[in-house]
């Protein structure tokens, strides 16, 4: 943390930073000159170019962070957890660097750090809160040397890119165990794979998780990834599950059991909708306490926090309320469906894309409990690149074609949004469940502004 850089390294770093900032300036000028151009590379291109000039860029930048790097990894919840932790630290007056665009591969991490440097390559920031794609964690731990590692969850996500969750956790365990003993690791106690990971590490480990049986699901959902003991392979006994395979468990064969969370979850409120956001809240609070932030500031920030773009984000469009719930994999979509079905609102827009940020394999929609959404009736509008795949999934979810479901298939996203708004009464909320790239498009249509 805050190490000095050798003179020759400083020269190479300064040159790399100057080139990267020039690229950033050019990209922003192109955006202003041609707003219709899709220039999402602005969040990764500067880092990619600077990395060619100075291959150790990530290490040289991260070691200048005064109070250390907090790395946040997991399948779901990274952006919300990171933004909440950033907000807590900023309220205490700290300068925080964060890859807020969601670019969570190496080039995106570098670009985020470059944003906070001057032309000489000096990084003047107190903390770096970095969301990291779960598959690249082993590659970035050594150069980043994080002070804290937050391990949120591991679910199946983008099956065309990643292997099974146990493979990823084994990679994490192997690399994290080589980090300095003062590194603090904060895994999800309710995830058997991550609970086991934390129990194996030589570093200081804190856990976060739920202890609220009243929120147990009635049954284990279809989109479940890890109900077997990570130690011996025997089926776990669940006292109850909160979502997917996250819950209160023990192994009847080897005795492996859920780790004890540091915080009592029932004592912490949340302002964001969905039980999945309670996990994000607890993760951020546990990390903030470890960083020395007082509980009064943490609780006050939680109670006034606004969701990250597209993550339970509320908008008002033409006098009507709209809530965007990012839905990019089976577990996340099941949870957003739970939010929708717990409301009295009857209009929902689902947008399914299959672009690189989403994962090109959309077979995951058959693991989603869309039956619960269909059973309640109302109006379901479907759009996106794979609109007919989603429409077919919803049709198969119908027990009878004579149900009270109004299914509208609309290829054009702008028209789909207009149609969904038309079907939304003035006193209700339109829920939009998009995949990642679809979420960016939806927000652009609704607000007139691009995120990436």
């Amino acid at each position: 943390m805050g190490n000095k850089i050798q003179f020759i390294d400083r020269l190479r770093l300064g040159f790399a930073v100057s080139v990267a900032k020039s690229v950033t300036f050019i990209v922003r000028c192109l955006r202003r000159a041609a707003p219709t151009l899709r220039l999402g590379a602005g969040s990764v291109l500067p880092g990619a170019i600077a990395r060619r000039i100075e291959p150790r860029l990530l290490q040289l930048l991260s070691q200048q962070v005064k109070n250390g790097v907090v790395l946040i990894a997991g399948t779901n919840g990274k952006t919300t957890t990171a933004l909440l932790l950033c907000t807590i630290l900023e309220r205490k007056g700290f300068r925080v660097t964060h890859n807020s665009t969601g670019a969570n591969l190496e080039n995106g991490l570098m670009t985020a750090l470059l944003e906070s440097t001057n032309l000489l390559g000096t990084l003047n920031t107190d903390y770096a809160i970095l969301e990291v794609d779960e598959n690249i964690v082993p590659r970035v731990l050594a150069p980043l040397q994080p002070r804290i590692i937050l391990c949120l969850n591991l679910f199946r996500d983008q099956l065309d890119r990643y292997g099974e969750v146990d493979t990823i956790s084994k990679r994490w365990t192997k690399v994290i165990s080589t980090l300095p003993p003062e590194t603090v690791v904060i895994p999800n106690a309710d995830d058997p794979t991550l609970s086991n990971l934390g129990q194996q590490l030589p570093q200081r480990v804190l856990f976060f998780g739920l202890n609220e049986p009243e929120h147990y699901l009635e049954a284990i959902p279809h989109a479940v990834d890890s109900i077997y003991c990570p130690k011996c392979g025997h089926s776990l006994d669940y006292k109850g599950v909160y979502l997917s395979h996250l819950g209160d468990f023990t192994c009847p064969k080897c005795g492996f059991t859920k780790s004890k969370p540091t915080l009592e979850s029932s004592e912490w409120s949340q302002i964001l909708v969905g039980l999945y956001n309670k996990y994000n809240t607890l993760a951020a609070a546990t990390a903030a306490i470890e960083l020395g932030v007082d509980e009064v500031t943490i609780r006050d920030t939680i109670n006034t926090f606004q969701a990250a773009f597209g993550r339970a984000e509320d908008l008002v469009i033409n006098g009507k309320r709209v809530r965007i719930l990012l839905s990019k994999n089976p577990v996340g979509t099941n949870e957003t469906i739970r939010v929708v079905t717990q409301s009295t609102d009857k209009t929902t827009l689902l947008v399914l894309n299959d672009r690189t940020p989403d994962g090109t394999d959309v077979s995951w929609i058959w693991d989603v409990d869309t039956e619960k959404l269909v059973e309640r009736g109302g109006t379901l509008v479907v759009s996106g690149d794979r609109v007919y795949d989603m429409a077919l999934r919803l049709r198969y979810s119908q027990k009878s074609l004579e149900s009270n479901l109004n299914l509208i298939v609309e290829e054009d996203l702008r028209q789909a949004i207009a149609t969904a708004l038309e079907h939304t009464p003035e006193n209700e909320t339109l829920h939009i469940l998009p995949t990642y790239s679809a979420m960016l498009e939806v927000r652009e249509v609704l607000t007139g502004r691009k995120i990436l």
Side-chain angles (χ1 to χ4, degrees):
M1 292 181 286
N3 296 335
K4 292 183 178 180
I5 299 177
Q6 298 297 322
F7 178 71
I8 188 66
D9 292 333
R10 176 69 68 185
L11 288 178
R12 288 172 60 90
L13 179 60
F15 178 59
V17 169
S18 297
V19 172
K21 287 188 175 293
S22 298
V23 172
T24 300
F25 176 76
I26 292 171
V27 170
R28 288 175 178 170
C29 287
L30 287 172
R31 278 179 175 164
R32 286 193 292 268
T36 59
L37 287 179
R38 297 190 179 277
L39 295 170
S43 60
V44 295
L45 185 59
I49 294 176
R51 184 184 181 189
R52 288 293 186 96
I53 299 170
E54 173 49 83
R56 294 177 302 155
L57 182 70
L58 195 59
Q59 175 186 343
L60 294 175
L61 290 177
S62 61
Q63 71 184 37
Q64 296 184 64
V65 180
K66 293 179 182 178
N67 296 331
V69 173
V70 178
L71 185 151
I72 301 178
T75 310
N76 293 341
K78 294 186 291 292
T79 298
T80 299
T81 304
L83 182 58
L84 177 54
L85 183 55
C86 285
T87 306
I88 292 170
L89 292 172
E90 287 171 347
R91 290 194 62 177
K92 295 299 293 184
F94 292 110
R95 289 164 298 192
V96 183
T97 296
H98 171 218
N99 52 331
S100 57
T101 64
N104 54 25
L105 301 179
E106 286 107 319
N107 293 336
L109 304 182
M110 294 175 198
T111 298
L113 292 169
L114 286 166
E115 283 280 330
S116 300
T117 63
N118 62 21
L119 289 174
L120 297 178
T122 301
L123 180 61
N124 187 19
T125 194
D126 297 308
Y127 290 98
I129 311 298
L130 301 178
E131 309 168 34
V132 178
D133 182 284
E134 58 265 37
N135 210 39
I136 70 160
V137 167
R139 300 206 298 267
V140 300
L141 283 179
L144 285 178
Q145 291 291 301
R147 175 176 174 178
I148 292 178
I149 303 173
L150 266 173
C151 305
L152 301 183
N153 46 61
L154 282 176
F155 304 123
R156 282 179 297 142
D157 188 37
Q158 301 192 27
L159 299 179
D160 53 310
R161 291 174 52 202
Y162 301 152
E164 295 299 322
V165 294
D166 58 342
T167 301
I168 295 175
S169 69
K170 288 177 182 177
R171 293 173 185 161
W172 283 16
T173 304
K174 181 178 180 181
V175 179
I176 293 174
S177 62
T178 66
L179 294 175
E182 59 267 23
T183 306
V184 177
V185 185
I186 307 178
N188 188 335
D190 295 355
D191 187 321
T193 303
L194 295 182
S195 196
N196 179 54
L197 177 149
Q199 292 176 17
Q200 295 184 69
L201 294 174
Q203 288 85 3
R204 181 159 172 260
V205 179
L206 308 174
F207 291 93
F208 70 94
L210 298 179
N211 184 24
E212 303 176 49
E214 64 272 21
H215 293 308
Y216 285 158
L217 292 173
E218 294 179 0
I220 295 179
H222 294 122
V224 63
D225 298 312
S226 181
I227 57 173
Y228 296 97
C229 177
K231 286 185 176 293
C232 71
H234 194 276
S235 295
L236 293 171
D237 281 346
Y238 274 89
K239 185 178 179 181
V241 295
Y242 296 108
L243 65 93
S244 186
H245 59 272
L246 306 188
D248 297 322
F249 54 83
T250 57
C251 177
K253 183 177 181 180
C254 72
F256 168 68
T257 190
K258 167 181 171 176
S259 305
K260 181 176 176 54
T262 302
L263 302 180
E264 176 55 56
S265 65
S266 61
E267 297 176 357
W268 290 82
S269 61
Q270 68 178 108
I271 193 171
L272 300 179
V273 299
L275 196 62
Y276 56 97
N277 275 318
K278 185 66 176 280
Y279 280 110
N280 300 334
T281 297
L282 291 168
T286 304
I289 291 172
E290 174 61 23
L291 293 174
V293 181
D294 60 280
E295 285 197 19
V296 173
T297 299
I298 297 171
R299 291 180 185 276
D300 186 57
T301 305
I302 290 171
N303 291 331
T304 57
F305 181 67
Q306 293 185 343
F309 65 90
R311 281 82 170 175
E313 179 184 18
D314 291 323
L315 304 171
V316 177
I317 306 297
N318 298 332
K320 295 186 178 181
R321 297 190 301 272
V322 176
R323 174 170 289 166
I324 305 174
L325 299 163
L326 179 65
S327 305
K328 64 187 182 74
N329 54 36
V331 172
T333 306
N334 276 344
E335 287 307 299
T336 56
I337 287 176
R338 189 184 343 183
V339 170
V340 173
T341 54
Q342 288 176 346
S343 74
T344 58
D345 307 305
K346 294 297 185 180
T347 306
T348 306
L349 169 61
L350 299 99
V351 191
L352 177 65
N353 282 357
D354 61 349
R355 302 173 195 177
T356 300
D358 312 294
T360 56
D361 182 354
V362 297
S363 63
W364 60 266
I365 63 175
W366 294 92
D367 287 329
V368 175
D369 297 327
T370 49
E371 289 77 11
K372 295 179 181 179
L373 192 59
V374 169
E375 286 171 7
R376 72 196 299 264
T379 298
L380 295 182
V381 183
V382 186
S383 190
D385 299 340
R386 301 296 289 269
V387 57
Y388 294 106
D389 293 79
M390 181 56 78
L392 181 64
R393 176 69 185 100
L394 294 174
R395 281 299 187 198
Y396 267 92
S397 301
Q398 287 183 262
K399 294 180 179 179
S400 170
L401 292 178
E402 296 182 359
S403 66
N404 59 346
L405 174 68
N406 178 24
L407 179 61
I408 301 174
V409 179
E410 177 54 64
E411 294 182 19
D412 182 81
L413 178 59
R414 189 174 294 272
Q415 183 57 49
I417 293 173
T419 300
L421 283 170
E422 288 173 5
H423 282 79
T424 303
E426 294 288 343
N427 61 341
E428 292 190 6
T429 297
L430 167 62
H431 289 90
I432 303 180
L433 279 57
T435 54
Y436 188 79
S437 70
M439 179 267 290
L440 299 179
E441 289 185 304
V442 166
R443 289 196 84 265
E444 183 181 344
V445 171
L446 292 175
T447 68
R449 298 191 303 272
K450 293 183 180 180
I451 296 297
L452 297 178

